[in-house]
Amino acid sequence: MKTKKFLQNLFEIAVNESLPSVCMPKHLENIDASNGLCVIGAGKAAVDMANTMHQFFGEKCYGTVVTRHGYTNNLSIGRIKILTAGHPIPDEGSIEAGKEILALAHSVPKDVPVVFLISGGGSALLSLPIEGVSFAEKMQINKFLLASGASIDEINCVRKQLSQIKGGKLAEAVKGEFYTLIISDVVGDDPATIASGPTIKDNTTGEQALNVLTKYHWQPIASVEKALLAEQVKEGISAQSIFPEPIKNFTIMANARQSIDKAIASVDLAKWKIKVLNYDEIGDANKVAAEHAKIALKTQMLNEPTLLFSGGELTVTLDKEAGHGGPNQQYMLALAKELQGAKGISALACDTDGVDGNQDVAGAFIDETTIKRAQDKGLLLESYLKKNNSFNFFEPLGDLIITGPTHTNVNDFRVIMIEPVN
């Protein structure tokens, strides 16, 4: 389908702009590797980031990175070891990676700089609970938060307070100079939130973490409450000496704005009118879809070929009997419902890491025929929408967008195409 291919090409252009091989090299030029260089990384882009480091510095760099299971078959890149772990749910690999990488950070000589490579997914991939909290308890809380509708900021607040690594604790282990190079998957690009900020001073508290859990009605665990309150007592003691004020030791190399702007730059502006709805959209996928549908229908009345772009990160509050899907697929299903087959309107929404929710698909596509094609197959849109079962709605229609691992992550990419119908 010509329209689907066009929109998918825009997505691919956005993803390519955030690949480490594209965004990293210019940030490596002023790093002194004369005494060697230690590379420590975590995230879905970790392997490609490590590969870019090795291409630039060669055998001068050594270290360890961790990425998601299935993202690589390699055990190393030069002297950089590669580990894999669970995402979005941490597993034993996450614990082992946490132990190994924290030990590595402690071992680096003072005269050897450390380059931290941070990208989305690092929170789950690098997991080492604080004293008094078991891995099983931390996993239980993580699963609860992912299904609760909590924002990424709220989730990361809890993750940092329950971790020996997140919230700047990994950087505290380093004796000498360090740099943090970041591919941002967080709305607003707050470095303390990306991968839960393992190298960025933490300003959250144990009390705030408990408040988040209470807000979403978790079943309290006495050991977790005790440990979080104990963390509050210790807060800020060791961080004062290592983190400069203001923090200057991190660089955001890629984000959603850059990727969306790159896609826009590829469009024939003589043919298309462009509007960016929001680079940093947040909120419930169903509600945002309803708002965007209203804008799309109103825009269509102007009778001008238009592309509506948006980025950010949406959330879904899961039904108790939730099926398979993710925020972008949920958004597309809700958008289809609101548009009701309006002629001339098509759309695509994908996660730039290639994984939307609990299935390995990037997102989905809709057009004016979506509802009719679904009805012909006996698929009742309302039922799939209510049960958060968007994957099983789009799969039989052939409208899932499947990319495989993209090895980067700058959150959501959404585009609505509006063509005149007269």
Side-chain angles (χ1 to χ4, degrees):
M1 186 184 296
K2 187 176 179 181
T3 298
K4 184 177 182 181
K5 185 176 181 180
F6 174 70
L7 297 184
Q8 192 164 354
N9 183 59
L10 291 176
F11 171 60
E12 291 169 357
I13 291 169
V15 169
N16 288 340
E17 178 68 6
S18 64
L19 292 176
S21 59
V22 174
C23 69
M24 272 187 72
K26 65 182 178 182
H27 299 290
L28 304 179
E29 295 172 355
N30 296 322
I31 295 177
D32 182 5
S34 57
N35 292 329
L37 200 62
C38 181
V39 175
I40 294 176
K44 296 175 185 176
V47 172
D48 277 22
M49 293 173 86
N51 188 53
T52 302
M53 289 291 293
H54 182 256
Q55 289 180 350
F56 197 94
F57 294 106
E59 294 302 302
K60 290 181 180 179
C61 62
Y62 74 97
T64 303
V65 301
V66 57
T67 193
R68 189 177 190 253
H69 292 311
Y71 271 42
T72 183
N73 293 319
N74 296 325
L75 299 177
S76 64
I77 298 172
R79 297 168 62 206
I80 303 172
K81 184 177 180 180
I82 301 173
L83 305 174
T84 60
H87 181 278
I89 304 301
D91 62 7
E92 290 296 334
S94 308
I95 290 287
E96 293 306 313
K99 291 177 181 177
E100 185 166 336
I101 283 178
L102 184 59
L104 174 61
H106 277 292
S107 74
V108 181
K110 188 174 182 179
D111 64 344
V112 175
V114 177
V115 178
F116 292 103
L117 308 176
I118 304 300
S119 57
S123 287
L125 298 168
L126 209 52
S127 183
L128 194 59
I130 56 175
E131 188 175 342
V133 176
S134 70
F135 177 53
E137 288 170 336
K138 190 175 180 183
M139 274 214 333
Q140 179 184 339
I141 290 172
N142 195 51
K143 288 180 181 179
F144 164 77
L145 287 170
L146 288 171
S148 70
S151 71
I152 188 64
D153 287 345
E154 290 172 322
I155 292 172
N156 281 334
C157 170
V158 178
R159 284 172 170 169
K160 284 188 282 188
Q161 290 299 317
L162 290 174
S163 175
Q164 292 187 50
I165 287 177
K166 300 172 176 62
K169 295 169 188 172
L170 181 59
E172 289 178 35
V174 174
K175 303 178 186 71
E177 188 175 19
F178 67 90
Y179 308 84
T180 302
L181 302 180
I182 300 172
I183 293 177
S184 173
D185 71 327
V186 168
V187 173
D189 300 330
D190 178 5
T193 302
I194 302 162
S196 299
T199 67
I200 307 297
K201 182 180 176 181
D202 183 24
N203 293 315
T204 67
T205 68
E207 182 180 8
Q208 288 173 332
L210 284 171
N211 288 341
V212 169
L213 291 169
T214 300
K215 175 182 175 180
Y216 293 99
H217 311 294
W218 77 307
Q219 295 297 318
I221 302 171
S223 59
V224 173
E225 289 184 303
K226 182 179 179 180
L228 285 173
L229 292 174
E231 283 297 298
Q232 174 127 344
V233 173
K234 294 189 293 184
E235 223 147 64
I237 296 174
S238 59
Q240 295 299 324
S241 61
I242 187 169
F243 296 103
E245 295 289 352
I247 300 168
K248 297 179 181 178
N249 64 332
F250 71 87
T251 300
I252 304 289
M253 301 185 299
N255 60 16
R257 178 182 290 267
Q258 293 170 12
S259 289
I260 291 171
D261 284 349
K262 187 68 174 182
I264 290 172
S266 73
V267 173
D268 182 354
L269 299 182
K271 179 179 179 180
W272 294 99
K273 184 175 181 180
I274 303 296
K275 183 175 181 180
V276 178
L277 300 180
N278 195 336
Y279 289 106
D280 299 320
E281 191 79 69
I282 58 173
D284 179 81
N286 296 328
K287 293 179 181 178
V288 173
E291 293 168 3
H292 287 185
K294 289 179 182 178
I295 295 170
L297 292 169
K298 186 175 180 180
T299 301
Q300 193 177 47
M301 296 174 65
L302 301 175
N303 209 37
E304 296 177 322
T306 304
L307 296 172
L308 306 178
F309 290 87
S310 62
E313 183 170 34
L314 305 183
T315 57
V316 176
T317 302
L318 296 178
D319 183 82
K320 290 181 180 179
E321 299 177 4
H324 297 291
N328 284 292
Q329 295 164 78
Q330 183 81 6
Y331 166 89
M332 294 302 286
L333 198 53
L335 188 68
K337 174 195 170 187
E338 297 294 332
L339 292 173
Q340 284 298 306
K343 293 189 179 300
I345 301 181
S346 306
L348 176 144
C350 292
D351 198 316
T352 52
D353 67 356
V355 180
D356 180 45
N358 58 13
Q359 294 290 319
D360 286 346
V361 300
F365 166 84
I366 64 167
D367 62 12
E368 62 189 55
T369 71
T370 297
I371 292 179
K372 177 63 168 59
R373 287 186 290 121
Q375 290 172 341
D376 290 345
K377 290 181 177 292
L379 304 172
L380 301 178
L381 187 152
E382 290 277 3
S383 174
Y384 285 84
L385 186 64
K386 182 179 179 181
K387 298 297 184 182
N388 312 121
N389 199 16
S390 50
F391 173 87
N392 287 315
F393 178 87
F394 287 114
E395 184 181 37
L397 298 180
D399 284 339
L400 293 169
I401 305 299
I402 302 172
T403 63
T406 63
H407 302 290
T408 190
N409 186 13
V410 289
N411 271 339
D412 299 341
F413 175 89
R414 292 179 295 274
V415 58
I416 301 173
M417 173 191 282
I418 302 165
E419 298 178 283
V421 294
N422 296 330

